[in-house]
């Protein structure tokens, strides 16, 4: 089984973002202000829609430092993807 094949209810291993993964991230963070997040890898879970866990680099504008964070996004079958949780790792 490849990382792109989904098991219902199970999380895929983290893998490089596909163009669709990148689009979901961009759409969910549209208009988000404050910390900047750059996705590096993603894990997905098929439910009634899709859950995404993006391992991301986080930066604060004007600050030289960065840290790692998980940006969790839910993309419903019908509707727009949205952030459900962000936590520092």
């Amino acid at each position: 089984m490849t990382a792109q094949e989904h098991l219902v209810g199970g999380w895929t291993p983290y893998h490089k973002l596909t163009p669709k993964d990148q689009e979901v991230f961009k759409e969910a963070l549209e208009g988000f202000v404050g910390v900047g997040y750059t996705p590096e890898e993603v894990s997905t879970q098929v439910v009634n829609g899709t859950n995404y866990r993006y391992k991301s680099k986080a930066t604060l504008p004007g600050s030289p430092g960065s840290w790692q964070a998980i940006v969790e996004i839910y993309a419903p079958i019908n509707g727009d993807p949205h952030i459900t949780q962000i936590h520092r790792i």
Side-chain angles (χ1 to χ4, degrees), residues 2-38:
T2 69
Q4 299 305 311
E5 293 176 305
H6 301 290
L7 294 174
V8 175
W11 287 94
T12 65
Y14 278 96
H15 56 276
K16 292 182 182 179
L17 277 65
T18 66
K20 180 179 186 221
D21 297 331
Q22 292 170 343
E23 182 60 32
V24 167
F25 188 87
K26 180 181 172 185
E27 193 174 335
L29 272 79
E30 190 171 322
F32 189 83
V33 295
V35 176
Y37 294 98
T38 304

Side-chain angles (χ1 to χ4, degrees), residues 1 15 20 26-27 30 45 51 57 62 75 77 87:
M1 173 174 269
H15 56 276
K20 180 179 186 221
K26 180 181 172 185
E27 193 174 335
E30 190 171 322
Q45 177 189 43
N51 288 317
K57 179 181 177 182
I77 293 171
H87 53 95

